[in-house]
Amino acid sequence: MKPEQLKLYLVTDRPLSLGRDIAWIVEEAVKGGVTMVQLREKDCDTREFLEVAQKLKSLLKPLGIPLLINDRIDIALAVDADGVHNWRNYRR
């Protein structure tokens, strides 16, 4: 990743979205200057997670904005995400 892609990093959080669509939030954040997005979903099933990830990948790829997937390597591979954030690797 390029250093300029780390200027403004958005981590999604559905409970904090107050019912707003995650894709809409990401799109608005990108308009505001976000340069990288991490999709973090703790309380949805695999199908829903995959659908959201696909939607975000379709939105972000043409803009050259990397998409990271939180904790789910299977989802990251399925949508050809740019990386995986896995906090379990950092615990001591």
Side-chain angles (χ1 to χ4, degrees), residues 27-84:
E27 187 173 9
E28 292 300 306
V30 167
K31 289 177 187 175
V34 160
T35 57
M36 183 179 297
V37 175
Q38 177 181 325
L39 177 59
R40 180 180 183 271
E41 287 292 339
K42 296 293 185 179
D43 299 315
C44 72
D45 63 28
T46 298
R47 176 173 284 170
E48 185 179 6
F49 199 156
L50 180 59
E51 288 171 359
V52 173
Q54 288 169 329
K55 189 182 284 189
L56 293 187
K57 184 64 180 183
S58 294
L59 170 71
L60 298 171
K61 184 175 182 174
L63 302 172
I65 297 174
L67 173 65
L68 303 180
I69 303 296
N70 197 79
D71 291 338
R72 295 290 304 266
I73 294 169
D74 57 336
I75 301 291
L77 290 170
V79 300
D80 193 28
D82 299 288
V84 177

